[in-house]
Amino acid sequence: MAKRKQRIPSLTTKFRFTGWQASASRLMQEYDQVQGIATAVTLRRARVVMFLGVPLHAALAFWFAQFQAPIGQPNLQDWADALTELQVGIALALLVCGVLSHILLRRNAGHSRFGMAVQTLFCGAYLAFGAAAAIQDVTIGNGIATFLVICMGTAVLSLMRPVFSGLVFVAAFLVFWIILRSTPMDATLLSSLQIQAIAVVLMAQLISVMMWHQYTRTVLLRRKLELSNQALLQKQQELEFLAERDTLTGLYNRRMFLQLAQRELDHLARVPGHVCALMVDLDFFKRINDQHGHPAGDLVLKQVAQRIAAHVRSTDILARMGGEEFIVLMPNTDRAGALKLAEKLREAVRGQPMELPALQVPITASLGVTGLQTHQQAPLETLYATADKALYAAKEQGRDRVVWSEVPLEP
């Protein structure tokens, strides 16, 4: 019993360690997804800094070069001369980083390893400048405000992974510390500046981690929203398709046909012209379902729909009205043109047997055709009923034929 009690804490520790491993692995995967975009964003910022920083540092270099220290204060002149060189150096470094960033961005290579190298160069140059400039300020009695500003600016401008930013800021502190140690000063002041530098680096690292974490969350959330929007758009398109199309054949469904046909007849009332309609019904289609099953019947309907669609014009309205019935509305088509198309469709259906798994099934179709001549008007219901009447006449006359029926004149 004692051994069992001693084992429980070890299992709990193991589960906690496994949980931490899973969280760390998931976090690394998220960081990998964002790294390329973050590097490209940093390079864009480096390019902006080039346009703003190069003129600024050049102007400061010119100002320090013109500086004349008061008589008896040579340390001020040494300070100004050193800052002149530092300003010129950082201006050139920013120019190089900005040009390289621009080239990489133009080539869509901002997310590459070379892009990360340019980002490192950008951060390292500015932090080295901040450390050196702060040391010069210390020699004349100023604090390390320059180092503070540069560290904070780097943490905000450069999107860096926590480990990478930690290495960068540790390296910056080491450079500052080495230069500081080589500068003669009081031991108490030296210790105070070192403590201040540590605090600056820690604050910069904290800000950098917060910026990176917030950016990572924002990018991942944006991607999630984009995927959700794409899924919603796809669902909307599917619903629109289902509302307009027959799911089996992909043709317009009955509801959509009636809507489009009514629109065409309304146009015909304003601009007189010919319009015809034909109905196609497969002969003895029930036998196919009874003998070979409904899946075979579905294959036949798909093939028939494809054959009909291959012969109609893009301006024609083709739909499946239900079961084995299809309908075609033909704008700007007279009787001769409609009968010619009907014969083509009849031949297309009966021309080759329908391909079914392991067998071929011959099939024929009966077609009923009707139409409105110029200046003739009739409701859509009348046009549809007349085409249906012609279709049944074709069935009664022996099937596999085309029959025309005149639309009755309005009283």
Side-chain angles (χ1 to χ4, degrees):
M1 189 69 180
K3 292 182 178 180
R4 187 176 181 182
K5 289 183 177 180
Q6 291 174 358
R7 192 177 179 184
I8 293 176
S10 63
L11 290 176
T12 305
T13 304
K14 182 178 179 180
F15 289 146
R16 288 179 180 175
F17 180 73
T18 304
W20 278 104
Q21 277 187 320
S23 299
S25 177
R26 184 172 62 254
L27 198 61
M28 291 301 103
Q29 291 177 359
E30 293 178 352
Y31 287 174
D32 291 338
Q33 295 176 29
V34 175
Q35 180 64 69
I37 301 175
T39 302
V41 170
T42 300
L43 294 184
R44 293 190 188 96
R45 294 175 179 178
R47 186 171 56 183
V48 173
V49 171
M50 176 190 69
F51 288 112
L52 299 177
V54 170
L56 174 61
H57 289 291
L60 290 174
F62 178 78
W63 186 86
F64 283 115
Q66 302 300 315
F67 181 80
Q68 295 294 328
I71 298 175
Q73 296 185 4
N75 59 328
L76 286 179
Q77 190 61 52
D78 294 338
W79 168 77
D81 294 340
L83 285 180
T84 300
E85 296 176 359
L86 289 174
Q87 297 291 346
V88 171
I90 190 59
L92 293 175
L94 290 180
L95 181 61
V96 171
C97 292
V99 171
L100 292 176
S101 299
H102 180 71
I103 294 173
L104 289 173
L105 292 172
R106 286 289 298 272
R107 296 178 179 177
N108 293 322
H111 58 280
S112 63
R113 291 185 177 180
F114 190 61
M116 293 186 65
V118 174
Q119 179 183 5
T120 304
L121 176 63
F122 170 69
C123 297
Y126 237 139
L127 288 172
F129 164 77
I135 296 299
Q136 295 301 320
D137 290 340
V138 169
T139 59
I140 63 170
N142 293 334
I144 59 171
T146 304
F147 186 60
L148 170 65
V149 172
I150 295 297
C151 285
M152 299 305 163
T154 303
V156 172
L157 291 175
S158 181
L159 294 169
M160 300 177 285
R161 296 171 76 146
V163 174
F164 178 69
S165 62
L167 294 175
V168 168
F169 288 119
V170 167
F173 171 77
L174 291 177
V175 171
F176 180 83
W177 185 78
I178 292 172
I179 299 176
L180 190 63
R181 295 278 296 184
S182 63
T183 304
M185 65 178 62
D186 180 71
T188 303
L189 178 60
L190 178 63
S191 300
S192 175
L193 293 176
Q194 288 175 342
I195 294 173
Q196 293 180 44
I198 292 174
V200 167
V201 168
L202 290 177
M203 286 190 295
Q205 173 66 7
L206 177 61
I207 293 174
S208 178
V209 171
M210 292 175 62
M211 295 293 294
W212 173 264
H213 183 74
Q214 181 181 9
Y215 184 77
T216 301
R217 297 273 76 78
T218 301
V219 171
L220 294 178
L221 179 60
R222 187 185 303 123
R223 287 182 178 177
K224 187 176 181 180
L225 289 175
E226 289 175 355
L227 292 176
S228 298
N229 290 335
Q230 292 176 2
L232 287 174
L233 180 61
Q234 184 177 358
K235 289 294 183 182
Q236 181 180 357
Q237 293 173 346
E238 292 176 357
L239 290 175
E240 291 176 353
F241 180 85
L242 293 175
E244 298 177 357
R245 300 281 179 169
D246 173 59
T247 56
L248 178 64
T249 62
L251 304 179
Y252 285 125
N253 57 25
R254 181 188 186 95
R255 186 189 68 83
M256 195 62 188
F257 172 81
L258 296 176
Q259 180 179 337
L260 295 176
Q262 185 60 56
R263 188 182 305 171
E264 186 62 38
L265 292 182
D266 291 342
H267 175 75
L268 190 65
R270 299 189 301 270
V271 183
H274 298 278
V275 64
C276 290
L278 66 84
M279 291 189 65
V280 182
D281 187 89
L282 303 183
D283 298 329
F284 304 111
F285 181 73
K286 187 176 182 299
R287 294 180 182 176
I288 297 177
N289 286 331
D290 293 341
Q291 295 177 6
H292 306 289
H294 288 280
D298 291 344
L299 289 176
V300 170
L301 290 174
K302 288 181 181 180
Q303 294 179 48
V304 170
Q306 292 172 358
R307 294 185 185 185
I308 296 176
H311 289 82
V312 301
R313 304 168 299 181
S314 60
T315 54
D316 295 335
I317 304 172
L318 170 61
R320 179 188 177 197
M321 295 300 284
E324 65 272 21
E325 287 188 351
F326 301 86
I327 190 168
V328 183
L329 187 75
M330 299 163 283
N332 302 316
T333 303
D334 57 12
R335 174 175 177 170
L339 290 174
K340 183 178 180 181
L341 176 62
E343 285 294 338
K344 285 184 179 181
L345 297 183
R346 187 181 68 85
E347 290 294 336
V349 172
R350 74 190 303 271
Q352 293 182 350
M354 300 296 160
E355 298 289 340
L356 298 180
L359 96 149
Q360 295 180 333
V361 177
I363 195 168
T364 61
S366 301
L367 295 91
V369 191
T370 189
L372 299 176
Q373 305 305 312
T374 305
H375 301 295
Q376 184 182 4
Q377 295 184 7
L380 177 59
E381 294 80 3
T382 302
L383 189 67
Y384 174 65
T386 305
D388 190 59
K389 178 182 177 182
L391 174 64
Y392 276 96
K395 293 283 188 181
E396 292 175 355
Q397 295 177 23
R399 294 182 171 83
D400 189 22
R401 67 189 62 239
V402 176
V403 173
W404 170 275
S405 180
E406 293 286 348
V407 175
L409 298 176
E410 293 290 326

